[in-house]
Amino acid sequence: MAQTSDIYGNTRLAPGDMERLAARVVTSGDRSSIGVETPITESEIGSVPACTAADVATAVDRARGAQPEWAATPVESRVAVLERFGDLVFDHRDDLLDTVQLETGKVRQDALEELLDIPSTCSYYGSNGPTELADSERSGLIPLATTATVSYDPVGVVGVISPWNYPLTLSFTDAIPALLAGNAVVCKPDERTPFVALALAELLEEAGLPEGVFQVVTGEGAVAGPALIDAVDYVVFTGGTETGRTVAERAGRNLIDCSLELGGKNPMVVLDDADVGTAARGAVTGAFTNAGQLCLAPERIYVDEDRYDDFLDAFVGATRELSLGHSFSYGPDVGSLISADHLESVRESVDSAVEAGASLFSGGRARPDVGPCFYEPTILTDVAPDSRIICEETFGPVVSVVPVSDADEAVERANDTAYGLNGSVWTGDLDRGRDIARRIDCGTVCLNDPYAVGWAAVDAPMGGIGDSGLGRRHGPEGINRFVESKTIATSRIGPFDSPPWLPHGVAARLLSGFGAVQRRLTRWLR
Ligand code: NDP
């Protein structure tokens, strides 16, 4: 690994900023450190402690100590803290964008996309969270004589294990509703991208979050991850499907709940009545945003055979115009991949597809002349339905285009996968598009947009089915997972039993008669 680079010269940051952030991580002794490289030059930008399992347990204990007072804070005050946090994230955007870009190598507009998600999530849950958390009155068995009230208590301490591809959004988009619900949160970011989570922890404190309620632990996933799952009351995980399975297994053994957003092999369906230019533009945005390292990105495009040639021409033409590069200002279209290892995995997927007979219409090459981890936006055709490039997540700037005879074949191919995260349908007829969308087995299907319209609808749940995960983030579902419901049922007529003087046979007949009347009444009222 090269030594700390002069790459800081192009940013508003200095190596001292990373030292200050790393010092936020509390350990109970001297720990070895993990060097963090920027993929832009593969030089070190700082280091963080390799927390042990004991350090993680201590962080959770601290969070557990701070949580009751936070939970007892009126919900309006919790909202005020989180809305202030959203404002601070926006106000500090220049430094935060530099930090995200340094850690990930992504282009500035991709970093901005994730940053803007935070104020919008704070604002959504600030407006809607209190209603979700308020007590609700439910029907008792006998109107007026009995009642049931449901209240919602925070689960306690929530663990968030986040990945490297959207380190800002994916460390906080779940933490915000968890905190609003009165929980404490301990976040373990990916070891490649720890600094932006630490920078946002600083802003949470500035916004007025009491000490200890939000903490970051750093270190290797295989050490810190299991330790976190063993100590918390709920775990949110975003990452690869195989790691997700181990997280779910461990959570299951501990009898805690979890939500998992995992991989995808997202289909894009272009119908015969689609506007080809719009669909091609959407394919470029969808497949190559964040250099394709986006769990929602389309990796398979099924195009009606009548539009296939026109679509491919337009898509290839627009893709060839994309610029690769790095700048801490707005400029290049496509940034770096996260690491040389990941570049190798993307290159290997494309090379083996080509060896198996796929045709390359664009890209297909690493670009060491631009930077050590850059790969060209790549379009493949002539791919077999059971090939690796069609079945396995590539997680890079690589997409396959496949002609289909009609909408039915498109749906069949789209659903021929173990994943089910996000899909899109492209059509001039939105009613028809919605009908097709209902037949696609994904947690979210977007019409005439590859993913952003679904993600940005913060009021609507988002998550996957099958190998793409469990549970949902966003919307009421996104906050309700962080509370335990408690029912307080009241009888105004004493205990639910028959008077001692009434023979059991008579009581049974009365109870059965009452049950029949009640069922009829319920149906009649429906
Ligand atoms: P991982 O699933 O390994 O990493 C995601 C997070 O889990 C990281 O914070 C990681 O920590 C942590 N982790 C690793 N091992 C464990 C464990 N045993 N228990 C708990 N947490 C753990 O993803 P990778 O980075 O290895 O990427 C592999 C593939 O996953 C990608 O190529 C892509 O296909 C997919 N992926 C999907 C994402 C999505 O948004 N759905 C995001 C990222 C990847 P650490 O890295 O510090 O060890």
Side-chain angles (χ1 to χ4, degrees):
M1 186 192 297
Q3 281 314 297
T4 304
S5 70
D6 56 8
I7 196 166
Y8 280 103
N10 303 319
T11 71
R12 295 147 194 83
L13 305 168
D17 291 317
M18 302 301 143
E19 282 163 29
R20 188 191 75 243
L21 292 172
R24 295 189 65 87
V25 182
V26 182
T27 57
S28 46
D30 278 348
R31 300 286 178 249
S32 58
S33 57
I34 298 179
V36 180
E37 282 181 20
T38 174
I40 304 164
T41 56
E42 289 190 310
S43 53
E44 188 170 307
I45 56 167
S47 64
V48 288
C51 289
T52 61
D55 296 333
V56 174
T58 308
V60 176
D61 279 350
R62 260 198 318 275
R64 210 172 277 296
Q67 186 267 334
E69 202 178 322
W70 172 242
T73 306
V75 70
E76 305 76 43
S77 308
R78 301 202 300 263
V79 166
V81 168
L82 289 163
E83 289 190 330
R84 221 159 26 239
F85 169 64
D87 293 344
L88 283 170
V89 168
F90 189 72
D91 295 346
H92 286 74
R93 61 190 176 283
D94 287 334
D95 287 3
L96 292 170
L97 293 179
D98 283 355
T99 310
V100 173
Q101 285 196 277
L102 261 182
E103 288 189 327
T104 61
K106 63 176 68 183
V107 293
R108 201 154 185 90
Q109 60 269 27
D110 291 342
L112 181 70
E113 192 171 297
E114 60 169 318
L115 181 134
L116 292 179
D117 186 52
I118 300 303
S120 115
T121 304
C122 290
S123 161
Y124 169 73
Y125 282 112
S127 304
N128 297 280
T131 312
E132 292 301 322
L133 299 172
D135 288 2
S136 62
E137 295 303 325
R138 306 292 176 92
S139 318
L141 181 65
I142 308 169
L144 302 178
T146 66
T147 59
T149 305
V150 181
S151 61
Y152 302 94
D153 297 334
V155 294
V157 181
V158 173
V160 173
I161 301 176
S162 57
W164 47 263
N165 59 333
Y166 283 79
L168 194 161
T169 299
L170 296 176
S171 298
F172 286 84
T173 200
D174 302 295
I176 292 161
L179 290 168
L180 186 62
N183 297 286
V185 172
V186 179
C187 172
K188 195 221 82 71
D190 192 285
E191 63 191 284
R192 283 157 285 191
T193 53
F195 290 119
V196 80
L198 288 160
L200 263 66
E202 231 176 33
L203 295 183
L204 265 173
E205 208 171 279
E206 195 179 329
L209 191 77
E211 203 184 327
V213 176
F214 180 88
Q215 289 171 67
V216 176
V217 290
T218 51
E220 282 175 35
V223 176
L228 189 62
I229 301 165
D230 285 351
V232 295
D233 306 298
Y234 187 102
V235 65
V236 180
F237 173 82
T238 311
T241 297
E242 282 322 305
T243 314
R245 285 187 209 283
T246 70
V247 169
E249 275 167 16
R250 203 164 187 114
R253 221 173 22 248
N254 293 339
L255 285 181
I256 61 166
D257 209 348
C258 62
S259 36
L260 315 167
E261 199 204 271
L262 310 176
K265 192 73 195 176
N266 306 303
M268 168 168 170
V269 169
V270 183
L271 297 177
D272 54 1
D273 61 354
D275 180 280
V276 162
T278 307
R281 199 156 46 86
V284 170
T285 309
F288 306 130
T289 288
N290 212 39
Q293 303 164 118
L294 164 65
C295 52
L296 308 171
E299 293 200 0
R300 304 174 288 148
I301 305 184
Y302 298 108
V303 188
D304 188 283
E305 60 195 8
D306 290 343
R307 318 309 304 270
Y308 180 77
D309 290 337
D310 290 346
F311 172 81
L312 196 58
D313 276 355
F315 182 32
V316 170
T319 300
R320 287 192 179 141
E321 283 172 18
L322 293 174
S323 57
L324 258 75
H326 181 75
S327 164
F328 286 100
S329 322
Y330 297 94
D333 298 308
V334 181
S336 174
L337 298 182
I338 187 67
S339 64
D341 284 351
H342 193 52
L343 169 72
E344 205 37 53
S345 142
V346 169
R347 189 206 321 248
E348 214 262 307
S349 298
V350 173
D351 289 354
S352 52
V354 171
E355 271 162 35
S359 309
L360 258 180
F361 266 73
S362 177
R365 287 186 306 156
R367 289 293 299 273
D369 53 316
V370 183
C373 307
F374 280 81
Y375 196 84
E376 287 183 341
T378 298
I379 301 173
L380 293 164
T381 62
D382 304 318
V383 287
D386 55 355
S387 60
R388 199 177 131 203
I389 203 79
I390 280 289
C391 299
E392 290 176 20
E393 186 178 41
T394 313
F395 220 61
V398 179
V399 64
S400 304
V401 188
V402 178
V404 288
S405 54
D406 56 19
D408 288 341
E409 188 190 348
V411 170
E412 194 182 315
R413 297 276 198 112
N415 290 340
D416 187 15
T417 174
Y419 292 110
L421 189 54
N422 177 54
S424 63
V425 178
W426 298 75
T427 174
D429 177 346
L430 293 180
D431 288 335
R432 180 183 179 217
R434 280 188 206 103
D435 287 343
I436 303 286
R438 279 180 220 284
R439 294 168 57 198
I440 294 181
D441 300 334
C442 286
T444 304
V445 184
C446 302
L447 292 191
N448 293 340
D449 183 85
Y451 68 89
V453 72
W455 177 273
V458 193
D459 194 20
M462 166 148 267
I465 60 177
D467 283 3
S468 292
L470 289 176
R472 297 289 181 268
R473 54 165 54 115
H474 290 176
E477 291 84 347
I479 190 164
N480 292 335
R481 63 193 158 146
F482 298 127
V483 291
E484 292 284 9
S485 60
K486 177 186 282 178
T487 300
I488 298 178
T490 308
S491 168
R492 294 200 170 88
I493 52 171
F496 255 42
D497 58 3
S498 48
W501 43 264
L502 196 66
H504 287 322
V506 178
R509 277 200 296 281
L510 283 173
L511 196 59
S512 308
F514 173 76
V517 170
Q518 202 230 15
R519 283 198 304 281
R520 263 186 223 122
L521 194 65
T522 310
R523 268 181 230 137
W524 181 73
L525 287 172
R526 206 184 288 148

